[in-house]
Amino acid sequence: MNLLDQDIKYLTGVGPQRQEILSKELNIKSFRDLLEYYPYKHVDRTKVYCIRELTREMPFVQVRGEILSFETFPMGPRKKRIVAHLGDGTGVMDLVWFSGAQYVMKNYKVGKEYIVFGRPTVFNGRFQVSHPEMEDPHPTALPSGDMVRGRMQPYYNTTEKMKKMGMSSKMIEKFTKTLISKLPALPETLPEFITRPLHLMSRDQAMRAIHYPQDQYELQHARERLKFEELFYVQLNILRYTANNRRKYKGYLLPKVGEAFYDFYNKNLPFELTGAQKRVMHEIHRDMNTGRQMNRLIQGDVGSGKTLVALMAMLIAVDNGFQACMMAPTEILAEQHLETIKEFLKGLPVRVELLTGIVKGKRRESVMEGLKNGEVKILVGTHAIIEDNVQFSNLGLAVIDEQHRFGVAQRAKLWNKNDNPPHVLVMTATPIPRTLAMTIYGDLDVSVIDELPPGRKPIVTIHKYENQMVSLYEGIRKEVAKGRQIYVVYPLITESEKMDLQDLEAGFAHLQEVFPNYRLSKVHGKMKAAEKEEEMQRFARGETQMLVATTVIEVGVNVPNASVMIIMEAQRFGLSQLHQLRGRVGRGADQSYCILVSDYELSKETKKRLDIMCETNDGFQIAEADLKLRGPGDLEGTQQSGMAFDLKIANIATDGQLVQMARDEAQKIIDRDPDCNLPEHSLLWNRLRELRDIVVNWGAIS
């Protein structure tokens, strides 16, 4: 058995009891798990200061000196404060313990020299360190004969439960020190033709240095090596999966741009396409012409014209004798897509139908018959489209809107609607940073629509505090007087005892008092679908001036007349969610506003988040900031997509350059060895098989 595969209980000092805690709290079950449980920081203990060099600004210091004497001060019944006076020839400082007197007096001796480490403070004009770390200045050799490496002290994350049981970072450090002293030279996991040009240290050196580096320089190089390796194998897996699929699945050839497309383009297109829309259309048409299945992601902010691009792609499918479908996550969004498409195609002989849960009876029969005989050219619907009894005559293109809301299995069902899988076009209004898209949607080609149609005015975003509501109400009255409508969003439906939030019910009642002459709609997730739908439609028809809602309106409400979005308790929302909500306004030609209302007392991070919202309307800038603030695992969409971010050391948010470098190297391997059988790559393919438990589903996204 490989040493690293041994049960952690067999490591000196662990045993069955600590094994159970390590397994439950940190998922450390084997020697390998411990070795790959990396420190979250290191404190530089390479410098030893003289006492006379100490200043109040120093966060941590290390001093070498001799204990000159002890003093004991009573602190109530059976408690003592112990003070040791430490001298080094340049001055004297105090070491203070408020507990553990027995241990201190037994283990530390007058006249003996120690290296003392801790945070210095000043008391009665003299420097002191409370509960210092004390070490022998003459370190003993490890069992292997090596000395303890460097003095960059590692710090490991531990849980509250572990701390209560006396298992601190110091104890994890002790275990890793024991393990590293036993380790033989670790085998290499990357070939030299990758490590040498990139100046990466060996895996063996990196695994030792990540825990016990000699200095910051070595630590940085160890991190770089281990991060690169982790990201490289993720990208290699994604690209291998993608290459296999491209060879395996032939795509329908759709070369013709014909009557349906040109009739729409010349007669019905209401405005000139933006440069970004034209670029993305060229990319889509090129994909449809290659003979391989298209898998393309269109990213673009709300209002950037993704639906129009998708419609033109569907018309190309129709011109080539195929059908197309568009699948949306909610009924209201599907209906809005249907209305938009029907409006665009007014007067053109292209039959477009809807298929959702509410389409029943004869209407449903007619749609199903039309799909089967090919008369229905474009089908818009919800997951009802993928039901087994829905049969197309010749499905050539499937468009999926807000795809992270569909499970992998649901998306896969679309592939079985024709002999070959249809071309797949995925749309998202949640901008995804490039490095994240490379990893979450690594098997998709990405197109970005980064321009808004002409005539759209940027939404003005303002941050207000709760004590400024009077002026806010005045602004609402002015907008309603112009005939505009208002959204008011709350984070909760009913009051939560745990969080002091203004809830929707109380807010709705308050707004009815403040605006007695206005008609208000109310929408939240606990309402029945039909009620919710009716309230939203009343607002969409202009029958109510204000829609008071929870985040259920984040996706799928298009009311061009709504010009103000008020987000209450804005500090409780993430950046991407705030941006999505803001996208509900600004859909007409009028100036629109987004008002973020928050508590007065905000953390530094929350204030930064709200400031970013006020500074930019660019969804990609916001997504980058959100990624840095929250990390990839918390971003909406990453969990739903089947993407498990089990990265142990790399960080998609901050390691963008390494992600790109890893992808470039992985692409070279796939280009050189598409069948994964060249002998010089055997190390890579064997390693990928070993890692499959970690990265198995990191490719199968589309």
Side-chain angles (χ1 to χ4, degrees):
M1 181 197 256
N2 187 325
L3 175 71
L4 291 178
D5 293 328
Q6 282 200 40
D7 193 310
I8 194 67
K9 72 181 172 191
Y10 297 119
L11 186 69
T12 307
V14 178
Q17 197 177 351
R18 286 174 176 161
Q19 172 224 27
E20 195 180 336
I21 298 164
L22 287 169
S23 175
K24 278 185 182 171
E25 297 297 300
L26 303 179
N27 204 26
I28 293 175
K29 295 173 182 173
S30 66
F31 286 14
R32 187 190 311 281
D33 294 336
L34 178 64
L35 188 64
E36 293 178 357
Y37 190 68
Y38 302 119
Y40 70 91
K41 72 171 182 178
H42 286 77
V43 172
D44 188 349
R45 294 182 61 174
T46 54
K47 179 158 175 60
V48 177
Y49 291 89
C50 296
I51 291 172
R52 74 173 173 211
E53 293 178 307
L54 301 186
T55 66
R56 291 168 184 262
E57 291 75 37
M58 291 176 173
F60 288 96
V61 295
Q62 191 166 240
V63 174
R64 181 172 178 155
E66 180 186 310
I67 293 182
L68 306 173
S69 61
F70 280 102
E71 281 188 87
T72 305
F73 301 91
M75 289 174 59
R78 299 169 67 185
K79 275 200 165 187
K80 296 175 189 172
R81 173 166 59 99
I82 307 290
V83 178
H85 305 298
L86 186 92
D88 69 350
T90 71
V92 176
M93 67 184 292
D94 293 339
L95 312 177
V96 185
W97 291 268
F98 296 96
S99 59
Q102 206 173 346
Y103 177 87
V104 171
M105 300 308 289
K106 182 181 172 186
N107 286 279
Y108 305 136
K109 306 296 179 190
V110 172
K112 192 163 186 247
E113 198 177 37
Y114 295 93
I115 288 185
V116 174
F117 178 77
R119 189 186 293 275
T121 55
V122 176
F123 181 69
N124 285 343
R126 184 186 279 184
F127 279 102
Q128 69 170 31
V129 172
S130 298
H131 292 272
E133 290 183 25
M134 309 278 285
E135 287 187 3
D136 190 322
H138 310 290
T140 53
L142 292 167
S144 63
D146 295 334
M147 300 299 287
V148 175
R149 296 168 49 81
R151 286 307 304 136
M152 297 282 293
Q153 185 174 347
Y155 281 78
Y156 299 86
N157 280 314
T158 54
T159 65
E160 283 305 314
K161 191 172 179 182
M162 289 175 73
K163 284 171 191 163
K164 281 177 189 170
M165 302 190 75
M167 291 181 71
S168 61
S169 167
K170 196 85 176 160
M171 185 172 280
I172 304 284
E173 183 192 346
K174 185 180 164 189
F175 294 155
T176 53
K177 205 174 282 184
T178 303
L179 175 58
I180 285 170
S181 72
K182 288 171 178 277
L183 279 184
L186 294 169
E188 190 47 82
T189 47
L190 290 173
E192 203 174 295
F193 63 76
I194 289 179
T195 57
R196 183 176 281 181
L198 296 178
H199 308 290
L200 297 174
M201 63 166 57
S202 72
R203 180 172 172 80
D204 181 70
Q205 192 185 351
M207 289 306 278
R208 294 172 196 272
I210 195 69
H211 295 282
Y212 300 106
Q214 292 184 27
D215 50 38
Q216 283 287 357
Y217 180 80
E218 190 180 44
L219 176 61
Q220 182 188 336
H221 280 268
R223 279 188 180 142
E224 194 172 282
R225 155 65 207 236
L226 295 172
K227 285 179 176 187
F228 173 84
E229 179 180 333
E230 194 168 50
L231 294 166
F232 170 78
Y233 278 109
V234 170
Q235 295 298 336
L236 185 66
N237 194 65
I238 290 168
L239 293 172
R240 178 192 60 83
Y241 175 90
T242 307
N244 284 350
N245 268 3
R246 284 182 174 166
R247 283 202 307 278
K248 188 173 163 187
Y249 297 111
K250 296 290 175 227
Y252 294 113
L253 271 170
L254 308 179
K256 185 179 171 189
V257 179
E259 196 177 337
F261 184 95
Y262 282 120
D263 275 359
F264 164 71
Y265 194 85
N266 295 323
K267 297 175 186 173
N268 285 24
L269 188 63
F271 43 76
E272 178 70 20
L273 294 178
T274 64
Q277 285 174 313
K278 287 176 182 174
R279 184 185 69 242
V280 172
M281 269 313 302
H282 284 305
E283 289 167 352
I284 290 168
H285 189 228
R286 191 176 62 232
D287 284 353
M288 290 172 157
N289 236 335
T290 60
R292 69 162 209 248
Q293 187 211 14
M294 172 175 74
N295 272 302
R296 184 165 288 279
L297 170 70
I298 302 181
Q299 289 193 70
D301 259 335
V302 169
S304 60
K306 296 182 298 298
T307 306
L308 176 58
V309 168
L311 171 60
M312 290 193 292
M314 290 193 284
L315 291 174
I316 291 174
V318 170
D319 278 333
N320 285 274
F322 288 89
Q323 295 163 296
C325 70
M326 179 183 279
M327 190 161 80
T330 64
E331 288 188 352
I332 188 167
L333 192 53
E335 285 177 16
Q336 285 181 358
H337 280 316
L338 180 79
E339 282 171 29
T340 303
I341 289 169
K342 280 196 160 178
E343 185 62 32
F344 274 139
L345 297 180
K346 216 172 193 174
L348 301 182
V350 178
R351 184 176 168 190
V352 184
E353 292 288 358
L354 178 73
L355 190 63
T356 66
I358 58 170
V359 178
K360 292 187 170 76
K362 287 189 176 175
R363 186 181 166 196
R364 192 180 189 88
E365 281 173 31
S366 167
V367 171
M368 300 288 260
E369 184 58 34
L371 283 174
K372 218 169 174 179
N373 64 28
E375 287 176 10
V376 172
K377 302 298 182 187
I378 296 174
L379 180 68
V380 181
T382 55
H383 56 271
I385 290 176
I386 58 175
E387 288 171 9
D388 293 337
N389 62 345
V390 177
Q391 294 178 3
F392 289 83
S393 163
N394 196 14
L395 180 64
L397 172 66
V399 180
I400 304 173
D401 192 20
E402 293 300 339
Q403 75 123 30
H404 64 260
R405 293 175 180 247
F406 296 99
V408 175
Q410 286 176 307
R411 297 196 294 270
K413 277 192 168 186
L414 270 175
W415 286 38
N416 298 321
K417 294 292 180 185
N418 208 341
D419 299 334
N420 280 341
H423 293 294
V424 175
L425 197 58
V426 169
M427 301 194 298
T428 180
T430 308
I432 304 158
R434 196 176 55 83
T435 52
L436 193 59
M438 250 189 269
T439 309
I440 298 186
Y441 301 118
D443 61 327
L444 296 172
D445 297 308
V446 179
S447 293
V448 177
I449 301 180
D450 48 11
E451 293 175 62
L452 286 179
R456 287 281 178 97
K457 292 179 182 171
I459 300 163
V460 174
T461 304
I462 301 161
H463 177 207
K464 283 186 176 283
Y465 295 106
E466 285 169 352
N467 59 2
Q468 298 173 303
M469 293 303 287
V470 173
S471 66
L472 177 57
Y473 294 151
E474 196 49 48
I476 288 173
R477 289 187 183 98
K478 284 179 184 172
E479 286 298 300
V480 173
K482 293 179 198 169
R484 310 280 177 263
Q485 290 166 282
I486 318 289
Y487 291 106
V488 184
V489 176
Y490 286 87
L492 290 182
I493 299 167
T494 52
E495 191 175 351
S496 161
E497 292 174 2
K498 291 183 182 176
M499 290 189 284
D500 180 24
L501 299 184
Q502 289 188 42
D503 61 282
L504 181 139
E505 297 290 359
F508 184 77
H510 176 66
L511 289 168
Q512 283 181 312
E513 284 175 24
V514 175
F515 303 106
N517 300 323
Y518 295 174
R519 293 185 302 281
L520 276 64
S521 292
K522 177 170 67 177
V523 174
H524 57 73
K526 288 191 177 175
M527 291 167 70
K528 287 179 181 169
E531 287 178 77
K532 195 161 53 179
E533 178 72 16
E534 175 53 29
E535 286 297 295
M536 282 185 174
Q537 290 300 345
R538 282 179 67 215
F539 186 68
R541 292 192 296 264
E543 292 168 15
T544 55
Q545 283 86 32
M546 296 174 81
L547 176 61
V548 185
T550 55
T551 54
V552 292
I553 62 152
E554 187 183 338
V555 171
V557 182
N558 183 15
V559 183
N561 191 48
S563 64
V564 181
M565 166 62 71
I566 298 167
I567 304 172
M568 303 301 294
E569 302 283 351
Q571 74 275 11
R572 302 288 179 185
F573 295 87
L575 264 175
S576 286
Q577 203 172 27
L578 289 171
H579 183 61
Q580 281 283 306
L581 288 166
R582 173 167 65 185
R584 296 299 107 205
V585 295
R587 290 166 168 251
D590 302 302
Q591 181 61 63
S592 290
Y593 303 89
C594 176
I595 316 296
L596 309 174
V597 182
S598 77
D599 288 346
Y600 198 78
E601 287 190 16
L602 300 173
S603 71
K604 195 175 172 184
E605 186 187 293
T606 305
K607 179 77 170 69
K608 188 176 178 185
R609 204 163 63 227
L610 299 182
D611 287 346
I612 289 165
M613 283 296 297
C614 296
E615 287 160 13
T616 182
N617 282 302
D618 185 321
F620 289 94
Q621 275 187 39
I622 287 166
E624 289 283 358
D626 202 18
L627 182 61
K628 286 189 173 118
L629 286 170
R630 294 167 68 194
D634 293 328
L635 288 189
E636 183 186 3
T638 60
Q639 302 305 324
Q640 295 96 319
S641 70
M643 177 71 188
F645 278 93
D646 193 13
L647 296 176
K648 290 182 174 161
I649 190 166
N651 184 323
I652 303 277
T654 54
D655 295 326
Q657 275 185 307
L658 276 175
V659 174
Q660 186 65 62
M661 194 194 301
R663 190 171 182 86
D664 292 345
E665 291 301 318
Q667 189 64 61
K668 286 180 199 171
I669 302 298
I670 297 296
D671 292 344
R672 213 180 299 148
D673 187 11
D675 297 316
C676 312
N677 57 16
L678 289 181
E680 61 264 38
H681 296 152
S682 59
L683 173 66
L684 298 174
W685 304 124
N686 290 337
R687 179 65 177 155
L688 193 58
R689 275 190 285 275
E690 285 173 25
L691 292 170
R692 192 153 297 171
D693 285 346
I694 299 171
V695 298
V696 66
N697 62 346
W698 285 22
I701 302 303
S702 67

